[in-house]
Amino acid sequence: MWILVCGVVALVLGWLCLSSWRKKWTIDDTPTSTCRGVFVGRNEVVGQAVPLYQPIVTPFTQTPAVWFSWELERYQKSGDDSEWVTVEKRSTAAPFWIQDQTGRVLIRPRGADLEPVRGLCEELDRGFAPPYSRWQLRQWVLVGEDVVERQRSMADTSFALAPTVDGGWFDNTPDTANPISSLSGKYRVTEQAIAAGAPIYLMGTARPRTDATGLEFSGDDDLLVSTKSEAQVASSNGWTARLCGLGCLLMTAIFVGTASDALFDEVKWFLVIWALGLEVGGLFLITLLRNYNRQVEVKEQAAKAWSLIDISLQRRSELMPNLVEVVKGYGEHEREVQAAVAELRAVPTPPPTETLPSDATLAHAQTTDQSMKAAAQTTVALAESNPNLKADSVYVDLQARIADAEESVASARGFYNDAIEVLRTRRTQFPGSLFARFVEVPSWNLFEADEAARFVPSVATAPSAAPEIDHAAPPPPSPPPATPPPPPGGSAPTPF
């Protein structure tokens, strides 16, 4: 039995080691996107947690939060052994936003890997006697959920069960109607939360929303949401991988040594050394293979970013003629406007579409980008001196569309440059340098547009003719759900 246990523990630790290394590599290799630049597929985003409706007030610390969980544990002693046993644990599935300076994206945390902040861990006694029952706390986690999540939550029959009371003196099952502070025995409560407005790090797969336009991150798609920074999350997974790896080697040595002693009545050390050598060699081969795959994955990410740049440049080039006509219609008598119109018409055509750009294509795209920005900036300066043109809804619409295209180019440019930087790092570091020649990239240059010439005009809200501009904004929120009801047979404090 001891030999079997050692073998199983070694396998589990080995799996945890590889899983932690894979997560760390994924974090290191994925460039950070802005909320506006999120695309369908795997993304890494850094922003703030913003509630969908209003902040959820946590039951025990009264913290305004976007997500929280509570856990009730009972102290159990059996002989010389004692431990805390979980009686019940619940967490909210209320969706919330991750937001930065460019926009926001919806997060559905049900089933996600969450790393919140522990706000409380207290034993129930006279100094800590919360007035809430388990039934109330069950209902509490439903607060703030939208229609989609509420339907999924109510599929759990325990939410619909009526409160029950302790059946007698010898019933060890805690009641659900009375306050948890009245439970007999030794209990403790733990509360964890992600506060509203807290900085969060997200790694997950974005997909189209089913209830509205835009994208969302769901816990059903291997989602990680942490209150730690990217460096802290990567470091934590790295140390977990190292410790699990050392534990796997130790348990493997014990397993092989014990098994050889049982078979041959002595420990065969050469078998132990061979087993450890095979594990280390296998890990090295996996590392080599993973480094090649990492470069291929980052190359595909760079290709996605370049396609976003290409689409944004094409979109902006299609909007320029319309802006020309609007400005021309209001200023045919002005010589400066005529010069601006000629300058806009002389803007180079967008670069040809390629999976990844070559040096020539990248240089042409930079020239096009800078020319468009300079021409548009000149035209806007002229329009500012004409109050009628400045207030015209068509002009405002085009101005907002071009600003949106500029933001898209900026987000995609940052993602593309980050991906190229990661490729450069992997190309020069061992063992990634062994596979650099097999991962062909047409250009290693960065997309360096003139940031000072960036055209982001300050305009009013775009008219209804351009609904797609505000693609990051949420639909009008519906009223938040009602607060948890009190248990039958008496009133209880309202959680809000």
Side-chain angles (χ1 to χ4, degrees):
M1 180 60 69
W2 170 248
I3 297 175
L4 181 62
V5 170
C6 291
V8 172
V9 172
L11 290 175
V12 171
L13 290 175
W15 180 83
L16 290 175
C17 174
L18 294 178
S19 178
S20 298
W21 275 125
R22 180 181 180 185
K23 185 177 292 186
K24 182 184 184 303
W25 290 335
T26 302
I27 293 172
D28 291 340
D29 293 344
T30 304
T32 303
S33 301
T34 61
C35 288
R36 181 184 289 271
V38 168
F39 52 85
V40 176
R42 190 179 69 203
N43 293 262
E44 177 184 275
V45 187
V46 176
Q48 289 183 323
V50 177
L52 181 64
Y53 301 112
Q54 295 177 352
I56 305 170
V57 180
T58 60
F60 302 106
T61 61
Q62 302 297 303
T63 302
V66 298
W67 181 93
F68 78 93
S69 69
W70 62 268
E71 182 179 9
L72 178 65
E73 298 173 284
R74 181 177 65 248
Y75 185 76
Q76 183 173 297
K77 189 172 183 179
S78 177
D80 295 333
D81 298 329
S82 59
E83 59 180 342
W84 288 98
V85 179
T86 299
V87 176
E88 187 168 357
K89 183 177 182 180
R90 302 279 180 176
S91 61
T92 180
F96 58 93
W97 303 102
I98 181 171
Q99 178 175 300
D100 60 12
Q101 67 275 13
T102 66
R104 53 187 179 180
V105 184
L106 190 67
I107 300 175
R108 296 190 178 276
R110 186 189 302 273
D113 182 10
L114 296 164
E115 296 181 355
V117 174
R118 174 180 288 186
L120 175 140
C121 184
E122 292 283 348
E123 293 186 20
L124 298 176
D125 52 27
R126 292 183 179 180
F128 178 66
Y132 311 115
S133 67
R134 287 175 59 194
W135 186 81
Q136 275 188 297
L137 293 172
R138 289 175 185 174
Q139 308 304 308
W140 205 308
V141 300
L142 301 177
V143 176
E145 294 184 354
D146 61 356
V147 176
V148 175
E149 296 300 337
R150 177 61 65 89
Q151 291 176 348
R152 296 183 64 181
S153 294
M154 294 307 296
D156 185 354
T157 56
S158 64
F159 282 112
L161 292 176
T164 58
V165 182
D166 192 354
W169 290 100
F170 301 102
D171 188 354
N172 293 324
T173 303
D175 60 82
T176 59
N178 294 328
I180 58 176
S181 57
S182 64
L183 296 173
S184 59
K186 192 175 182 180
Y187 289 85
R188 73 177 180 185
V189 172
T190 302
E191 179 185 278
Q192 294 181 310
I194 299 177
I200 56 175
Y201 167 81
L202 180 148
M203 168 72 73
T205 302
R207 64 181 181 182
R209 294 180 59 178
T210 57
D211 59 334
T213 58
L215 301 176
E216 69 179 17
F217 292 98
S218 174
D220 298 331
D221 300 320
D222 194 18
L223 175 64
L224 168 65
V225 180
S226 177
T227 54
K228 302 176 183 178
S229 66
E230 177 184 354
Q232 290 174 326
V233 175
S235 176
S236 175
N237 282 279
W239 280 108
T240 301
R242 295 182 184 96
L243 293 176
C244 289
L246 292 176
C248 178
L249 292 176
L250 177 61
M251 296 307 297
T252 299
I254 296 175
F255 169 74
V256 176
T258 306
S260 63
D261 183 56
L263 293 175
F264 305 105
D265 294 329
E266 63 175 332
V267 177
K268 300 291 186 179
W269 291 106
F270 75 93
L271 293 178
V272 176
I273 296 174
W274 269 101
L276 296 180
L278 288 176
E279 283 195 352
V280 173
L283 179 60
F284 181 72
L285 291 177
I286 292 174
T287 302
L288 292 180
L289 179 62
R290 179 56 186 167
N291 268 272
Y292 172 76
N293 292 335
R294 290 168 71 183
Q295 295 190 47
V296 174
E297 290 175 1
V298 176
K299 177 183 176 181
E300 293 300 323
Q301 291 172 351
K304 288 182 180 179
W306 175 251
S307 68
L308 294 176
I309 295 176
D310 186 55
I311 291 172
S312 299
L313 291 176
Q314 291 283 353
R315 179 186 177 192
R316 188 170 55 182
S317 67
E318 293 171 359
L319 292 173
M320 284 299 181
N322 295 328
L323 183 63
V324 168
E325 294 301 324
V326 172
V327 177
K328 181 180 178 181
Y330 276 88
E332 291 183 352
H333 60 286
E334 296 185 12
R335 182 179 303 174
E336 293 85 355
V337 173
Q338 296 296 334
V341 169
E343 184 179 358
L344 284 169
R345 288 173 174 170
V347 169
T349 58
T353 301
E354 295 179 358
T355 303
L356 271 177
S358 59
D359 287 338
T361 301
L362 192 63
H364 183 63
Q366 292 174 355
T367 302
T368 301
D369 182 64
Q370 294 172 1
S371 300
M372 286 183 178
K373 288 177 180 177
Q377 191 173 23
T378 302
T379 306
V380 171
L382 292 172
E384 292 292 329
S385 63
N386 192 325
N388 294 331
L389 176 57
K390 183 179 177 182
D392 185 77
S393 60
V394 177
Y395 176 78
V396 173
D397 176 41
L398 287 173
Q399 196 176 13
R401 287 174 181 264
I402 294 175
D404 180 65
E406 292 289 346
E407 290 288 349
S408 299
V409 172
S411 298
R413 178 180 64 230
F415 189 88
Y416 173 81
N417 288 347
D418 287 347
I420 295 298
E421 287 288 358
V422 172
L423 278 174
R424 286 177 173 179
T425 302
R426 299 290 171 264
R427 183 183 180 87
T428 55
Q429 291 180 344
F430 180 84
S433 56
L434 299 176
F435 306 101
R437 68 184 67 180
F438 302 110
V439 183
E440 183 178 356
V441 178
S443 174
W444 293 96
N445 295 324
L446 303 179
F447 187 77
E448 298 176 350
D450 185 10
E451 193 68 20
R454 187 178 175 191
F455 165 52
V456 186
S458 176
V459 297
T461 303
S464 58
E468 71 276 12
I469 294 175
D470 199 14
H471 56 78
S478 58
T483 57
S491 61
T494 303
F496 300 102

